[in-house]
Amino acid sequence: MTVGPLAGVRVLALHGMGPTPFACMLLADLGADVVRVVRPPNRQGRALAQTDAMAPEYDLANRGVTSVEADLKDPDGITAVLRLVAVAEVFVEGYRPGVAERLGLGPAELHTVNSTLVYARLTGYGQSGPRSQQAGHDINYVAQSGVLHAMARSGEAPRPPINLLGDYAGGGLIAAFGIVSAVLAARASGCGQVVDAAMLDGVAVLGAKIQGLRAAGRYSDEPGTNDLDSGAPFYDTYRCADGRHLAVGALEPDFYAEFLKGLEVDTSGWPDQDDRPRWPELRELIAGALATRTRDRWAAVYAGTDACVTPVLTFDEAAVDPHNIARGVYREVDGVLHPCPAPRFSATPAREPAHPPSGTVSSDSVLARWVDS
C-alpha cells in the first residue's frame, strides 16, 4: 500500500549528522523510500560512532529509513552505491565540498550514471565562498547569517535556540523543500541537477520578513527592543506564583485588551500599549500581576479567550495537552514520544510514526525492490 504524497520517490543518502538525517526523515515521513548508506562498524569515524551508540529506537531521524552498509573507501562499496544511484531519483550527501568527489561520488560521476538524478548537498556554509571548507555547527551558521545577533534580551548576550534554527529549519527543512522542488523539475524536464542547501542560506532566508521591517525602519538592530524579541512587554514570558511560566503574545490591541481584562486588576493608570518609553514600567506591572497566581490558574483564566496567553509546557506536558491529543501532535511508540509527521494531507496521509528499523539490509535487496517498483 502506498502511503504519503512522496510515495514512489527513491532517495539514497550517505549517512551524516544533524540536518542530513532530518531532511531524510521528513521525506520518509511523507512516503519516500529512503535508504541511507552507513559505514561498516570498523570504518565509522568517531563522531558517527558516538551518534550510532544510541539505541536504534531512539534515533527518530531514522524512522522509515532503510540502512545498507558500504565501505566508501573500498571499490566494491562504491560499486554497490552506484548500482543504487542508477535507479534512484535523489542522492543526498552532507560532506564538506570536495569530499564526495574524492570518493568518486560527486555530481559529475553520478550524473553520468543517472542523468535525471537530483543530487542534494547539505552543508553549513555552502559549496562556495571563503568559509566553505571550514568546520562549524548550528550556532556558527546562525551567527554568520546575522540572525543570532537579534536573539537576545536587551543588554544580554545572544542565546542560540538549541540547534533548531540552523540544523533543522534552515538546514534539513530547506533541503527537503529543495529536493522535492528539484524532483518535480526533473520529472518535467528529464534532467537532474544539484541542490546546494547551505544552513547559512536557509537561516538567512528565514529572516526575510525581518529584513523588510528593517528597511522600512520598523525593526531596530538593538536586540530586545522590538515587538517580537522580548522588547515588548505584551510579547514575552512571565514567571508565575509557582515558578512556572506563561507565554503572552497579545500584540494586537483587541487581544491586548482581552489580556488586561483577564488580569482582574485596575489597569486604568497603566502606560499605553504603544508608549515605548514606558515599556519597562509596563513590564513591571504585568510581571507583578502574573506573579500572584500559578501558571495553571492563569491558563484556566485565559482558556477559550483571544488574549493569546498559553502556559509554557514541558515536553511531557505537551504530550498530554488536550489540544495536542485532539490534533495528534505527538504519539508514543513503545515508550518513545514521536512528533507526528507534518504537514497533513487529506488524500495522501503520511506514515504513522514507528520505531526506526534496527540493523541493515543488503544493497541487493534494496536494488531488487527499486527495480521492481
Side-chain angles (χ1 to χ4, degrees):
M1 177 181 176
T2 58
V3 176
L6 297 183
V9 176
R10 298 182 296 276
V11 179
L12 183 65
L14 300 185
H15 187 26
M17 298 174 65
T20 305
F22 179 68
C24 291
M25 184 200 81
L26 296 175
L27 299 174
D29 278 351
L30 300 191
D33 189 348
V34 181
V35 175
R36 69 170 181 170
V37 178
V38 300
R39 301 175 187 176
N42 64 325
R43 298 288 302 184
Q44 289 177 358
R46 180 172 180 270
L48 290 178
Q50 287 176 334
T51 60
D52 288 346
M54 182 170 60
E57 62 265 28
Y58 302 127
D59 187 7
L60 301 195
N62 195 37
R63 67 187 186 189
V65 176
T66 303
S67 295
V68 300
E69 283 186 7
D71 185 348
L72 300 183
K73 294 189 177 181
D74 185 315
D76 289 340
I78 296 296
T79 298
V81 170
L82 292 177
R83 291 172 67 203
L84 292 173
V85 165
V87 291
E89 276 192 274
V90 179
F91 181 83
V92 185
E93 61 97 352
Y95 296 145
R96 293 194 206 188
V99 173
E101 281 82 353
R102 291 196 293 272
L103 292 170
L105 296 174
E109 293 87 351
L110 299 200
H111 280 143
T112 299
V113 175
N114 182 347
S115 62
T116 65
L117 186 73
V118 170
Y119 190 115
R121 321 193 76 165
L122 181 49
T123 59
Y125 294 114
Q127 297 297 311
S128 60
R131 290 184 178 269
S132 62
Q133 290 293 335
Q134 291 183 2
H137 286 294
D138 182 289
I139 191 172
N140 306 114
Y141 315 132
V142 179
Q144 180 72 16
S145 72
V147 173
L148 185 59
H149 171 77
M151 295 183 174
R153 291 183 178 275
S154 181
E156 296 184 6
R159 298 183 181 184
I162 319 180
N163 66 329
L164 298 180
L165 186 53
D167 278 354
Y168 299 123
L173 187 60
I174 293 292
F177 170 68
I179 288 168
V180 172
S181 301
V183 166
L184 290 174
R187 288 183 172 183
S189 68
C191 297
Q193 62 179 302
V194 176
V195 178
D196 177 1
M199 287 174 262
L200 167 61
D201 299 350
V203 175
V205 79
L206 290 170
K209 177 67 174 182
I210 300 300
Q211 295 290 14
L213 291 171
R214 289 180 66 247
R218 296 178 56 190
Y219 196 94
S220 170
D221 282 340
E222 178 62 32
T225 63
N226 299 285
D227 285 354
L228 303 179
D229 63 359
S230 78
F234 41 85
Y235 196 91
D236 206 348
T237 58
Y238 288 91
R239 186 181 181 90
C240 301
D242 56 351
R244 311 300 295 278
H245 290 82
L246 204 68
V248 177
L251 284 171
E252 293 81 0
D254 289 350
F255 299 161
Y256 181 64
E258 191 79 10
F259 167 63
L260 293 184
K261 178 182 176 182
L263 293 177
E264 297 180 351
V265 297
D266 182 8
T267 61
S268 58
W270 285 24
D272 185 77
Q273 181 183 13
D274 295 323
D275 190 350
R276 285 177 177 260
R278 297 185 66 188
W279 272 2
E281 180 185 351
L282 181 57
R283 182 182 302 279
E284 291 292 330
L285 291 167
I286 292 174
L290 293 178
T292 61
R293 297 180 182 178
T294 66
R295 184 202 67 177
D296 291 346
R297 175 60 185 138
W298 284 120
V301 167
Y302 287 109
T305 75
D306 282 341
C308 301
V309 175
T310 54
V312 177
L313 302 177
T314 65
F315 284 124
D316 286 339
E317 289 174 327
V320 297
D321 176 83
H323 178 83
N324 294 349
I325 290 175
R327 281 285 294 174
V329 175
Y330 290 101
R331 180 163 301 173
E332 188 173 295
V333 180
D334 296 333
V336 179
L337 191 64
H338 284 247
C340 290
R344 303 173 189 211
F345 301 85
S346 62
T348 54
R351 290 172 173 165
E352 293 292 326
H355 272 332
S358 59
T360 60
V361 302
S362 71
S363 59
D364 287 340
S365 67
V366 172
L367 184 62
R369 183 174 81 217
W370 281 3
V371 169
D372 292 341
S373 62

